Amino acid sequence: MTKAEYNSYRFDSNNDPSDEQLGQLMENAAEKVRETNRQSNEKFFAELRRASEEAKKRSANQTDML
């Protein structure tokens, strides 16, 4: 399935995709999900690192005050 065919394909009740088309559609969807998960993981761990550094600074500040 060419990229143009993939982009123009629409599911409807009158036109079932061939096995090749369905396989390609599913693979493309899976790739998008993998990329979204990768981006989400990057954001999550960046936020976790940021929060950890912030907690370390607060802890150090509290220790300095004692």
Side-chain angles (χ1 to χ4, degrees):
M1 174 181 278
T2 67
K3 188 162 183 84
E5 289 173 322
Y6 171 76
N7 289 334
S8 67
Y9 184 81
R10 299 293 177 256
F11 283 101
D12 65 36
S13 60
N14 298 325
N15 185 16
D16 289 334
S18 68
D19 289 343
E20 178 188 357
Q21 289 172 319
L22 185 57
Q24 186 65 46
L25 291 165
M26 292 173 68
E27 180 57 38
N28 289 352
E31 180 58 36
K32 287 180 181 179
V33 168
R34 285 189 290 271
E35 179 60 21
T36 299
N37 285 341
R38 185 191 63 74
Q39 291 173 355
S40 294
N41 280 339
E42 284 181 6
K43 288 178 184 178
F44 171 77
F45 285 108
E47 177 61 20
L48 188 60
R49 283 188 294 276
R50 187 202 62 73
S52 176
E53 290 302 318
E54 185 178 301
K56 287 178 188 177
K57 288 177 184 176
R58 279 196 314 266
S59 178
N61 287 342
Q62 288 176 352
T63 302
D64 290 343
M65 292 180 165
L66 297 176

